[in-house]
């Protein structure tokens, strides 16, 4: 596993944005720009891809320890820090339906094409739903003896 893979997995696991990673690196006095950082997260076949060096990964991990745990003078609770990161992520409102692609109800009479549509709307004349009638038993209960003559 390369340093780039480790950095990518940490970024996803901790839900960090590029600017947060830059701030974490600044905790250990390591300066890096967002564009330099973005080069680490590109695919290997991209022309601007850069291999993450040991020094960058080492400083990031040391800064991450300070970011999550704090210092001796100012200790932090790591779960509170991670919860804060999770709260900062914007929540997308996803619906199961996509309203822009809903099918419009068709007028059945217009769709037929053989007659002109009536002036009354058929959708307004809905009939109430009726329960189906109970099934009638066609064959009575019959005792079969399967061809055996029963002597009683």
């Amino acid at each position: 596993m390369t340093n780039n893979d480790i950095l990518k997995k940490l970024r996803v696991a901790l839900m960090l944005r590029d600017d947060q990673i830059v701030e974490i690196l600044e905790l250990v006095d390591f300066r890096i720009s967002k564009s330099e950082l973005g080069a680490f997260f590109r695919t290997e076949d991209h022309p601007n891809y850069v291999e993450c060096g040991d020094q960058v990964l080492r400083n990031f991990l040391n800064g991450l320890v300070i970011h999550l745990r704090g210092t001796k003078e100012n200790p932090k609770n790591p779960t509170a820090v991670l919860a804060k990161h999770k709260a900062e992520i914007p929540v997308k409102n996803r619906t199961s339906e996509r309203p822009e692609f809903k099918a419009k109800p068709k007028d059945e009479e217009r769709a037929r094409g053989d007659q002109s549509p009536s002036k009354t709307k058929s959708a307004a004349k809905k009939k109430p739903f009726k329960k189906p009638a109970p099934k009638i038993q066609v064959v009575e209960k019959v005792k079969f003896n399967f061809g055996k003559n029963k002597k009683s």
Side-chain angles (χ1 to χ4, degrees):
M1 184 178 282
T2 64
N3 290 347
N4 289 50
D5 295 334
I6 295 169
L7 191 62
K8 286 178 188 177
K9 288 183 186 280
L10 284 170
R11 178 185 184 197
V12 171
L14 298 172
M15 297 173 277
L16 296 172
R17 297 187 315 262
D18 288 346
D19 57 340
Q20 291 171 327
I21 294 174
V22 170
E23 290 173 8
I24 289 171
L25 286 168
E26 287 177 357
L27 290 174
V28 289
D29 296 328
F30 188 82
R31 310 250 185 278
I32 192 169
S33 67
K34 281 187 185 180
S35 59
E36 289 175 308
L37 187 64
F40 299 139
F41 298 115
R42 298 181 191 275
T43 58
E44 292 181 11
D45 58 343
H46 194 277
N48 294 337
Y49 171 78
V50 175
E51 186 70 32
C52 178
D54 292 340
Q55 183 182 9
V56 175
L57 186 60
R58 178 176 43 86
N59 284 311
F60 174 71
L61 292 174
N62 288 334
L64 189 61
V65 168
I66 294 170
H67 177 71
L68 292 176
R69 294 183 189 166
T71 59
K72 284 185 179 180
E73 298 82 30
N74 188 14
K76 295 181 186 177
N77 184 1
T79 55
V81 174
L82 292 175
K84 179 183 169 189
H85 285 304
K86 198 169 190 176
E88 289 177 358
I89 296 173
V91 178
K92 294 181 181 178
N93 294 333
R94 293 187 177 186
T95 58
S96 59
E97 298 179 27
R98 293 176 58 183
E100 65 270 12
F101 293 111
K102 279 189 178 176
K104 295 180 181 177
K106 293 183 179 179
D107 186 2
E108 293 176 9
E109 293 178 338
R110 284 189 188 171
R112 284 193 319 210
D114 58 353
Q115 296 176 358
S116 62
S118 65
K119 294 181 182 178
T120 60
K121 292 187 177 181
S122 61
K125 297 180 183 179
K126 288 188 176 180
K127 294 181 180 178
F129 179 75
K130 293 182 181 178
K131 287 188 175 181
K135 292 184 179 180
I136 300 171
Q137 198 171 20
V138 178
V139 179
E140 295 178 12
K141 293 184 180 180
V142 178
K143 187 175 181 183
F144 293 99
N145 58 10
F146 299 104
K148 296 179 183 176
N149 291 330
K150 195 171 189 181
K151 296 179 182 177
S152 40

